[in-house]
Amino acid sequence: MANHKSAIKRIRQNEKRRLHNRTYRNRARTLVKKARTAIDSGNLDEARAATKIAVRDLDKLASRGVVHKRNAARRKSRLMRQLAQLEK
């Protein structure tokens, strides 16, 4: 356990931020999963719409600092690649 007052405060802040960020991360995972499900179903319009929503949410996460910008870019790239395969 931390001994300094500032370190104790930092622990409290980190825990609060972790719980706050967890909700955003879970939402992003859900949206990406919905997009993948829509892509797997083969419905092009539904897949495009779901992918668009997931990409927007990943961009928000990256701008807020919940996930690293490259992490968001990698996930978006994978989603877009799967969507492109469906569009062929």
Side-chain angles (χ1 to χ4, degrees):
M1 188 65 195
N3 293 324
H4 296 285
K5 204 171 187 180
S6 60
I8 292 169
K9 180 179 178 182
R10 181 58 73 183
I11 289 170
R12 283 197 317 265
Q13 288 175 330
N14 287 340
E15 181 64 15
K16 192 185 293 185
R17 288 192 181 115
R18 184 185 70 83
L19 294 173
H20 184 257
N21 289 341
R22 187 171 62 174
T23 60
Y24 290 114
R25 251 195 317 273
N26 286 338
R27 185 180 69 193
R29 283 188 193 126
T30 303
L31 291 173
V32 168
K33 189 174 181 180
K34 283 182 181 177
R36 286 205 181 115
T37 306
I39 290 169
D40 290 341
S41 73
N43 187 346
L44 189 57
D45 293 331
E46 186 181 319
R48 280 185 184 146
T51 303
K52 186 176 178 182
I53 292 169
V55 165
R56 184 184 307 135
D57 201 63
L58 287 169
D59 282 334
K60 281 184 186 177
L61 287 183
S63 68
R64 287 181 177 146
V66 176
V67 296
H68 196 275
K69 64 178 185 175
R70 290 190 193 120
N71 184 314
R74 182 177 63 246
R75 292 191 204 181
K76 290 188 310 185
S77 173
R78 288 175 181 169
L79 259 182
M80 295 305 289
R81 198 170 359 143
Q82 289 174 346
L83 183 63
Q85 287 293 323
L86 178 65
E87 289 176 340
K88 280 185 180 179

